[in-house]
Every structure is written in structure tokens, then in C-alpha cells.
Amino acid sequence: MSAAYATFGLAPATRAGAVLADGGYQVHRDFVDFVVDGRPLLFQLSDLDAVSPLASDVPPAIFTEQVRALLLEAEPPLPDGRFVLYGCPECEDLACGAVTAVIERDGEDYVWRDFVWQTDEHADPERNGYPGIGPFRFHGPGYRAALTALRDGCGAPRRRVLLIGARVAVLARLAAALRTIGIGTDITQDASAVPAEELRGYGAVAFGRAVGEAERAAVLAAFERAGVEIAVVDGLAPIVPLLVAQIEQALDHGPRPRRLLTALAAAGDAADVEVSAPCRVRITAYRLDRLRRTHGHEVFDGTLEPGRHRVALVPRAVKGEAYLVARTASGVLAAPVTGGKRS
């Protein structure tokens, strides 16, 4: 076992929800990720669609027990001293697969070792291990301080989104979609009468394109009076999956250097996308035709290495007023397509 120390930290992270083209959906999850040697541990393992047990939507008592387990103040949930570090974002079934590791004390230090992908009660490190990952030795005082502060703070706050716009039908469909994937949503035209304590529960406010400057300024002033630093979403177009992606992007509170998907831009028949670690990226184009009908086309689905990449776009997919949504397992970005041919 290596005697070298690794740094341990915690950072907010998001598993972005989505409204899928086939009518299905994936749930939005806010959680706290483990940061080892300055990088999210989830990025170091592989391109996983997974969340840590430190999720904001679990009851406070269960959240506290998860922290106690990582501090070795509770019994490991799996044989051989194994603890779940990442699991299925849709359910708690081990059969879906989970990343587990042995956590143990060595004097004052904490050691995480023998990382595996596990689908039943017993792990098989030789067959399903993660070569080259760990063991990690953490200084005990810093490790305990980070987790104790998280426990005392009761984790990440639950967030809601305030929707403001003139197109009631679009707002209703958007609110339904957001609630389906687990994001609390309210619709209003006047935030001045909303109590400050309620405004503090919102993580973002989304404005439709028809909202005037005076109305917008009044809403933002209400948040300012309540002492809320609010994320602002300016809706690109009345396309529900696109608006969901914009809101998911705004709710991602992770520091930009620790995000998997870091940049997206599109012009003409090409898109530029940047990622910070090897991962699967899916890019969908949405466009409005002359009758204001929505069309969606998947234009890319593949694994990209770290860095910036250029992706060719099918001209018919971005004809007219068009937008792109890029997704990884943990994040989403939306951007307009500029310089394309008008329909």
C-alpha cells in the first residue's frame, strides 16, 4: 500500500435530467462528489452515469448515516468492509451496478482501496476491479473535517425553478417536464409579493422570450431584496427539451474546471464541443420550421477524449432557427446555431 497522501475534498455535482425523444425521461439528481487530488473521483473511474450516496434528495437522517459510514462510525453495508461510493441515479438497486471500495482506518489516516464495479453482494476485484485507481490515503483530520462539516450542514439544499413568460401553454408543458425529472417548479408573473424565504428556495429563474425588460428587472429586484444570488435563464426558444437543458445547465453548481462538459458552440454546419475527461457525448439538434413546429435530430453520439473537438452537423438538422443540446452522463450545455441557412 502506498504511503503517499492524496488530498480529499467534497464538491457539489449534478446528474442532469432529461426529457427523451421517445417520451421517457431521466431524473435530475444533485449530489456531493468526492474530489481526490483536485479532480472529481467520478471522472477518474470511467464514463459512469452514477451519483454518490450524498444526494440532496435523500432524507436528512439517511444523509447523516451515509456520512457516518464514510467516517467509519457505522457498519459497512456490504461484506468485506465495502462501501458504495457511486450507484444508480434512478434507484438504489445494487443489481444496476455500483462502484464500491474498502474503507479502513490506518492510525489517524483513512484509506480507500480495492475499487470495483459490483452488481451483487460479493465483489470480484480480479474481474471487475479498477486497475490504477487507488489506494488513496487521506490525512485523518482533514478527511473528518470535510465530512463533519457536510453532515452539520445537512447536505446540499433542494432547489426549485421559477418560470416567467407570456406563453402559458409552453410554461405548463415545461413545468410538467421539469417536475417529471424531479425539479420543483412554480409559474408566476409577479415575484414582488413572494415572501423572501420562498424566493431563497429557488436556484434559477427562467424568462421566456416575450418577457419585457421592466418585468424582468422587477423580478430580479425581488430576488436581490431577498438576498438571493439567482441563476438566470433566458429561454432560447419555446422548445421544451431545449428549455429543460438550459435550466439543467443553470442548476449545475459545480465549479467549471470540475465539469465534464465544458464548452459548446455551433456555427453553420459544425459544432465545437470541449470535454475535460474521456466520456460519451450525445448532441441533439432542435429547430423550428416556418410553421413554428419543432423538429429534433440526434447529430452525434460517441466517445470523446479530453480537449476540444469539431463535430459535423447535417445541414437539414440545423436549417432555419436551430439549437444544439450536448449531454454527458453528468452535465448538459445548450447553444444556438449561428450562421446557418434560413428556412
Side-chain angles (χ1 to χ4, degrees):
M1 182 180 298
S2 172
Y5 282 98
T7 62
F8 178 83
L10 300 166
T14 299
R15 187 266 191 157
V19 177
L20 306 179
D22 62 2
Y25 63 91
Q26 64 182 34
V27 175
H28 171 98
R29 301 292 302 278
D30 290 315
F31 65 100
V32 177
D33 199 4
F34 310 109
V35 180
V36 178
D37 287 335
R39 292 187 64 217
L41 180 59
L42 187 60
F43 295 178
Q44 300 181 44
L45 292 167
S46 62
D47 185 26
L48 289 178
D49 183 12
V51 300
S52 83
L54 305 176
S56 66
D57 55 354
V58 301
I62 296 178
F63 188 95
T64 298
E65 280 303 303
Q66 297 289 356
V67 176
R68 291 186 67 244
L70 294 171
L71 290 166
L72 300 183
E73 296 173 359
E75 291 298 313
L78 297 171
D80 304 319
R82 290 198 163 271
F83 294 80
V84 174
L85 298 182
Y86 298 102
C88 175
E90 302 284 348
C91 69
E92 299 179 2
D93 193 344
L94 186 61
C96 292
V99 177
T100 72
V102 175
I103 301 179
E104 60 189 10
R105 289 285 296 271
D106 185 8
E108 282 293 305
D109 299 337
Y110 289 78
V111 177
W112 290 13
R113 62 175 176 84
D114 298 338
F115 290 78
V116 301
W117 176 255
Q118 191 167 344
T119 56
D120 56 36
E121 285 291 306
H122 297 282
D124 186 348
E126 291 188 6
R127 182 176 181 180
N128 298 316
Y130 284 91
I133 302 297
F136 299 119
R137 178 183 291 270
F138 305 117
H139 278 288
Y143 178 92
R144 287 192 299 273
L147 287 168
T148 300
L150 180 67
R151 178 181 61 189
D152 294 344
C154 296
R158 293 175 175 83
R159 292 297 189 184
R160 300 177 66 82
V161 177
L162 187 63
L163 305 180
I164 299 175
R167 302 185 65 172
V168 176
V170 173
L171 292 179
R173 292 199 303 272
L174 176 57
L178 290 169
R179 290 166 186 157
T180 297
I181 65 174
I183 297 177
T185 309
D186 294 302
I187 301 172
T188 188
Q189 295 299 321
D190 182 9
S192 61
V194 180
E197 57 270 21
E198 290 188 25
L199 291 178
R200 296 189 187 105
Y202 293 104
V205 55
F207 294 103
R209 295 196 294 187
V211 175
E213 285 300 320
E215 185 179 0
R216 175 191 173 97
V219 171
L220 296 181
F223 278 101
E224 186 176 358
R225 288 192 300 272
V228 180
E229 186 175 343
I230 194 75
V232 177
V233 177
D234 291 311
L236 288 172
I239 301 171
V240 169
L242 174 66
L243 295 171
V244 168
Q246 285 192 266
I247 290 169
E248 286 280 7
Q249 181 179 337
L251 291 175
D252 188 347
H253 303 298
R256 189 177 181 278
R258 293 178 181 168
R259 296 179 185 179
L260 199 55
L261 185 60
T262 56
L264 174 68
D269 59 358
D272 292 311
V273 60
E274 186 176 40
V275 296
S276 61
C279 61
R280 178 187 178 188
V281 177
R282 291 168 293 159
I283 302 178
T284 304
Y286 296 96
R287 72 180 186 89
L288 293 172
D289 63 21
R290 284 177 290 186
L291 299 178
R292 310 304 290 171
R293 295 172 299 191
T294 299
H295 302 267
H297 302 270
E298 185 176 275
V299 295
F300 180 79
D301 186 349
T303 299
L304 298 178
E305 294 299 314
R308 183 174 288 269
H309 304 268
R310 174 149 290 191
V311 176
L313 302 175
V314 179
R316 65 179 176 83
V318 292
K319 183 180 179 182
E321 183 182 347
Y323 307 88
L324 294 187
V325 172
R327 291 186 175 276
T328 64
S330 63
V332 57
L333 291 177
V337 179
T338 63
K341 293 181 180 180
R342 311 309 296 176
S343 58

